Each structure stands twice: as structure tokens, then as C-alpha cells.
Amino acid sequence: MAFFEMRGIRKSFGRTEVLKGVDLTLDRGQTLAIIGSSGSGKTTMLRCINFLEVPDQGTISLGGEQLLDAGAAKKLSEKELRALRLRFGLVFQNFNLFPQYTVLGNLCLAPQMIARDRPDFKKNKKQIYKEIEEKAYTLLEKVGMSEKAQSYPCQLSGGQQQRVAIARALALSPDILCFDEPTSALDPELTVEVLNVLRALAKENMTMIVVTHEMAFAEEVADRILFLDKGVAEFDGDAKVAFGGECPSQRLRDFVGSIRK
Amino acid sequence: MSFWNVTLFLLNGFKISCLIFLVTLLLGIPLGLPIAFCSMSRFKPLKILSKVFVWIIRGIPLMLQIFIIYYVPGLVFHYQLFANVDKYLLIHYGIEDAGRILAVLIAFAINYACYFSEIYRGGIESVPRGQYEAGQVLGMTKGQIFFRITLMQVIKRIVPPMSNEIITLIKDTALANCIMVAEIIKQANTLAATKALIWPLFYTGAFYLLFVGVLTILLGRLEKKLSYFSA
Ligand SMILES: Nc1ncnc2c1ncn2[C@@H]1O[C@H](COP(=O)(O)OP(=O)(O)O)[C@@H](O)[C@H]1O
Ligand SMILES: [Mg+2]
């Protein structure tokens, strides 16, 4: 069994079925790129992975543990959903940093909230907060933003904001980090700095799922490709095959060709 | 009557104006919250009820609402509640106008709560959904997301429209006049009727101007304080 598996994921909004039984597998330390034209269900897929949406049908398992069987009668409680969400991180297209907090505050807020559930929280509050802050600084270092720790999001460029958003997601040490078109709201010259962070993470064997239109980047970094077409996984396999001349899916070849032109 | 005596006489009325102002804010600001949440409720009947209520309160002149609150107990229940409170407190404690002021306060609190609720609703709905979702993926609870993420952004957004309402409120207190509450303009009218002095009526404007001036400075400071981030 692979590290991360989704089987037969179906999701409808009202009468429109957006995901029509999608499978996905990913090994630990690998990077999966989800590609496909706009409206094909890529964002919805990521939202299902992050439990922002619960699929109507299908199963999700991580590290051999079944996280969700949508067919089961029992609905997940808010608390269970929260615990599941913590296993995954999500970096949004438009960053969604919290404007009223500094960069450091953005990284520390959620870890501080979660630390409240620790039994030793009252006793070791100071120590715990110190550790959270130290970890935040390490992560800011990693994305090259430690100098801006005390800045507010509105004082940063888009690329800087996105790098902070990546650090914020990493602060909770997710098993899998997801990105929804992380560079599509950025000017081309800022795209590079964000992609470099993703490259570095891939090198460190962070398990990642990246929705992207940057074909060159996907080809360079991704181990696997999932090509969604109108809610169906038209191709799911090795990145080398996906971008090679022998790619079995005509649609994928057309899609890659149309973007590269 | 000397200028000083007129000032003191008017100041007595302005105390009542300020009382109406303060109590309306104290009641209206929190009362607006449940109305706002009802207006945003996913439970349709509650939402419709709340919207109709807000429509009625905002659609009828405040002066008429004061009359309704004041006269309805007598007309419907044959008990002149506010007039009786007036009499009782005057006889036993020597407090004047208490029942009438109570009626005015009720009308004002309900009226302003409805206006505030619409401002709250606009503020809450204007916070991008992505802020909420960012909190969710970080494993925060609904309460944590509201208090730690959404609230501050809502406050920042509602300060300018709230400032407008608050400045309108001090001038609206003059409406208490309609059921003979001795607010500042009623006091000036009394001078006109009893001492044939017209100028105190115009002089009342200075009180309002001073009050609004101070308010404007305070609210401006608050707005500035919140300008360290852009939402
Ligand atoms: N919450 C929603 N309610 C209704 N329709 C939705 C919702 N989210 C997505 N959709 C629809 O699902 C389809 C796929 O959307 P999405 O997953 O965002 O595609 P992509 O990210 O590949 O562009 C679109 O047609 C979109 O309109
Ligand atoms: Mg999308």
C-alpha cells in the first residue's frame, strides 16, 4: 500500500458532479503534480485532501491508516475533521495570510492554539511558546524571510507573502503539503522565488501535492503526474511517462502541448 | 437671564441628551450582534424574521417608534406604563421624566441595534472566505477562527460606518423632544416660551458641535490605531 491513497473519490455540488471517481497514490517523499484545464476539479481535489470538503464517496488513507470512508454511515465530527486537517497542509493561490498579525504571528498563531490542548500547557506555557517561536524562525530562515519576521503581510510582495504562507503551513509539520496554483497570482519575476522554495522542499523529500500550470516546473520537480479532465483522472502515473513521447493519453499530450506553445 | 445661567440651564438638558446617547450605545452595540447573526442564519424562518424586523425598524421614522413604544402599553393593555413609571419615581424619589426617558431609551436601543446589525453583517460578510479556510486548514476551531482571525478584521471594517452612526446618534437624541423629555432643545424651547429668549435655541448648536468634535477626534484615533494592517 502506498503512503497516501485516495480511491474512487466522488464529489458533487448540487447537481453537478465535479469529481467522478478519482484515484490517487503517492509514496512518501515524492512530489505529485496535478494538472488539467480550468474547471477540471483540481482545487476540489485538494480541498478533499485537506478535508475542507468531504467527498460523497471514496476512501482516503495515509501511512496505512484509513482516514475516511465516505460510504460509512457515520459523519465526521468537527473535532475529528480538525485532527484530520492537521495531517495535511495547504498553501492557497492568494496566500490568505492573516493581515492583522506579523509574519511571525502568522506562523505562531495556530501552533499556539493547538498547544492549549496539551496537558502540560498551563505549567510550561512560556517554554512551549518559546519552542514554537524558535521553530517559526527556523522555517522563516528556510524560506528566506527571517528578516521580515516583524513585518505585516501588507508590507510584503506577493512572492514574499507566498513564502511566508509556505512557512506557516510547515509550522504544523504536516505529513503532506499541498499547493493550489501557488504562483498563479504572482508576477513572473516573483514566481521564481516561490518555485525555488518548492524545489528545496522536494529535495528534502517533503511529500507534496502541487496543482500547477507551470509545466516546466512540473516536469523538473514532480515524480508523479495526475492529469484531471472534467473530473476524471485521465492520466495518473510517472512524470517521465507523462511528459515523454510515449505518453498513452492523447488528451494529456494535447494539453501539455497547448500549454507549452 | 445671564449667559452663564442659560448655559447651566441648557447643560441640564444636554445631560439627558448624553444619557440617551450613552445608554443607546451600551445597549445597541451588543444587541446588534444577535440580530446580525440571525440575519445571516442558515435557518430560513429566523433569517426572514430578522430581515423583516430590520426592514420595519429602519423603514419607520424613529420619532414614530418613540410614540409607538410610549403609547402602545396604554392602548393595548390599558396600562400607561411609562406615564406611571414617571409618576411613581417623581413622587417617591423626585426623579423627573424617568418613564418617558425609559420609553425613549427602548426605542433608541432597538432602532440603533438594527442599524448596527446591518453594519456588523456587512463587516462579517466582507471578510474573505479564504481567511476562514486558512484557519481551518491550520486546525483551528470555529471559535478560535472567529476571535483570533475574523473579529479584528471585522472591527477594522466597521469602525468608519459605526463612526457615522454614532455621530448621527447624538443629534437624533433631540427626537426625545416629541414625548416631552427635557433634552437640550426642549430646554431651549422652554426658555423661548417662558422668558421670550430665542438665542438659547441657536446656542444649543454649540453643545452638539463640541460633542461631535470630540467624538470625531476619538473615533479618528481609533481608526488610525487600526491602520497598521490592511484588510
Ligand atoms: N463550492 C462549490 N459549489 C458549486 N460548484 C463548485 C464549488 N466548487 C467548485 N465548483 C465547481 O466545480 C468545478 C471544478 O472546480 P475546481 O475544482 O475549482 O476546478 P479547477 O481548480 O480545476 O479550476 C467548477 O465547474 C466549479 O464551478
Ligand atoms: Mg483551481
Side-chain angles (χ1 to χ4, degrees):
Chain A
M1 200 183 195
F3 177 59
F4 182 58
E5 286 198 9
M6 296 172 87
R7 293 267 165 244
I9 299 297
R10 284 180 182 274
K11 180 74 193 174
S12 302
F13 295 108
R15 244 173 262 152
T16 42
E17 190 170 41
V18 175
L19 297 175
K20 301 168 183 164
V22 179
D23 296 341
L24 181 161
T25 58
L26 188 61
D27 284 328
R28 187 171 225 146
Q30 293 212 309
T31 297
L32 168 86
I34 301 181
I35 60 177
S37 49
S38 152
S40 56
K42 305 181 297 295
T43 296
T44 307
M45 191 69 188
L46 276 196
R47 291 171 63 84
C48 287
I49 295 172
N50 283 275
F51 290 92
L52 286 177
E53 307 281 359
V54 178
D56 304 326
Q57 270 181 54
T59 60
I60 303 178
S61 64
L62 179 66
E65 174 196 353
Q66 184 162 76
L67 301 183
L68 174 84
D69 180 0
K74 197 167 133 288
K75 252 186 85 184
L76 291 168
S77 71
E78 192 56 36
K79 198 174 168 192
E80 288 168 318
L81 277 174
R82 254 189 299 128
L84 289 174
R85 285 184 190 129
L86 282 174
R87 311 281 302 263
F88 305 88
L90 178 59
V91 174
F92 299 86
Q93 191 170 345
N94 49 358
F95 334 127
N96 288 332
L97 292 180
F98 307 132
Q100 73 267 44
Y101 290 98
T102 60
V103 164
L104 188 66
N106 266 274
L107 265 69
C108 294
L109 179 64
Q112 285 173 354
M113 294 295 115
I114 287 156
R116 293 172 162 217
D117 293 337
R118 284 169 57 160
D120 62 338
F121 177 71
K122 277 219 175 95
K123 219 172 68 201
N124 301 337
K125 185 171 168 184
K126 263 204 176 135
Q127 180 62 25
I128 291 172
Y129 275 21
K130 208 177 130 223
E131 281 163 17
I132 290 172
E133 199 163 294
E134 276 166 9
K135 182 171 182 187
Y137 270 111
T138 313
L139 289 168
L140 286 177
E141 188 91 36
K142 192 178 211 161
V143 299
M145 290 297 297
S146 42
E147 263 152 52
K148 299 279 185 187
Q150 302 303 333
S151 302
Y152 287 92
C154 61
Q155 300 168 311
L156 305 178
S157 74
Q160 291 175 325
Q161 290 192 46
Q162 192 60 300
R163 285 188 279 150
V164 172
I166 294 171
R168 180 175 72 177
L170 287 169
L172 292 169
S173 312
D175 291 319
I176 299 181
L177 186 51
C178 302
F179 300 81
D180 191 4
E181 303 192 31
T183 60
S184 63
L186 301 177
D187 294 335
E189 70 267 24
L190 300 178
T191 300
V192 182
E193 61 185 62
V194 171
L195 291 185
N196 281 338
V197 172
L198 269 77
R199 282 190 185 95
L201 288 172
K203 265 216 185 86
E204 289 173 25
N205 290 326
M206 179 82 209
T207 314
M208 298 195 289
I209 299 176
V210 187
V211 172
T212 184
H213 286 297
E214 306 276 338
M215 283 308 132
F217 173 77
E219 187 169 2
E220 174 202 334
V221 174
D223 304 288
R224 293 179 65 83
I225 299 290
L226 174 68
F227 173 51
L228 282 182
D229 186 48
K230 299 194 184 81
V232 176
E234 170 70 19
F235 177 90
D236 175 23
D238 201 272
K240 288 201 186 68
V241 177
F243 292 109
E246 320 287 76
C247 176
S249 161
Q250 178 65 40
R251 285 218 183 121
L252 176 53
R253 266 182 286 163
D254 291 348
F255 178 74
V256 172
S258 72
I259 287 197
R260 278 195 176 143
K261 237 183 283 166
Chain B
M1 236 178 142
S2 74
F3 180 74
W4 179 241
N5 283 338
V6 169
T7 304
L8 284 181
F9 189 74
L10 291 182
L11 207 53
N12 261 335
F14 200 55
K15 270 194 226 151
I16 304 286
S17 306
C18 291
L19 177 78
I20 297 170
F21 174 83
L22 277 179
V23 175
T24 302
L25 287 187
L26 242 46
L27 296 177
I29 286 176
L31 197 61
L33 265 179
I35 301 176
F37 285 125
C38 289
S39 298
M40 291 184 290
S41 170
R42 256 177 284 171
F43 182 59
K44 270 272 163 64
L46 191 64
K47 183 177 169 141
I48 292 170
L49 195 75
S50 155
K51 294 227 167 199
V52 168
F53 183 69
V54 170
W55 168 59
I56 291 172
I57 297 294
R58 294 205 306 175
I60 298 176
L62 179 51
M63 190 193 279
L64 186 51
Q65 289 172 37
I66 296 171
F67 284 134
I68 291 171
I69 298 277
Y70 186 67
Y71 288 116
V72 155
L75 289 175
V76 177
F77 305 105
H78 305 289
Y79 181 75
Q80 304 204 339
L81 176 68
F82 298 106
N84 284 330
V85 171
D86 248 0
K87 253 187 242 151
Y88 181 85
L89 288 177
L90 185 60
I91 293 166
H92 291 270
Y93 299 95
I95 302 170
E96 276 178 65
D97 278 359
R100 288 158 192 279
I101 292 175
L102 184 64
V104 167
L105 290 177
I106 293 172
F108 268 67
I110 294 174
N111 185 273
Y112 271 80
C114 284
Y115 278 96
F116 292 158
S117 81
E118 283 297 283
I119 293 177
Y120 297 161
R121 189 174 63 84
I124 292 171
E125 285 176 348
S126 74
V127 175
R129 177 118 200 103
Q131 289 290 310
Y132 186 79
E133 293 182 343
Q136 275 188 310
V137 291
L138 293 168
M140 294 171 73
T141 65
K142 280 183 182 160
Q144 289 168 347
I145 293 172
F146 180 76
F147 286 107
R148 305 279 167 155
I149 301 173
T150 314
L151 186 61
M152 198 62 174
Q153 298 178 41
V154 173
I155 290 174
K156 184 184 167 84
R157 274 161 220 253
I158 67 174
V159 164
M162 286 295 279
S163 300
N164 271 334
E165 288 301 325
I166 290 171
I167 286 170
T168 304
L169 170 59
I170 186 64
K171 291 169 290 172
D172 270 358
T173 59
L175 289 171
N177 211 326
C178 73
I179 52 169
M180 312 300 277
V181 169
E183 49 72 54
I184 185 165
I185 290 186
K186 167 96 182 329
Q187 291 288 86
N189 271 331
T190 305
L191 290 181
T194 59
K195 305 262 165 39
L197 291 175
I198 296 296
W199 65 266
L201 193 54
F202 304 127
Y203 178 31
T204 60
F207 289 77
Y208 289 106
L209 277 177
L210 193 68
F211 195 91
V212 169
V214 172
L215 264 185
T216 305
I217 290 170
L218 290 179
L219 292 167
R221 275 204 198 149
L222 179 62
E223 209 171 308
K224 199 149 178 218
K225 233 185 170 163
L226 290 168
S227 69
Y228 69 93
F229 72 92
S230 76

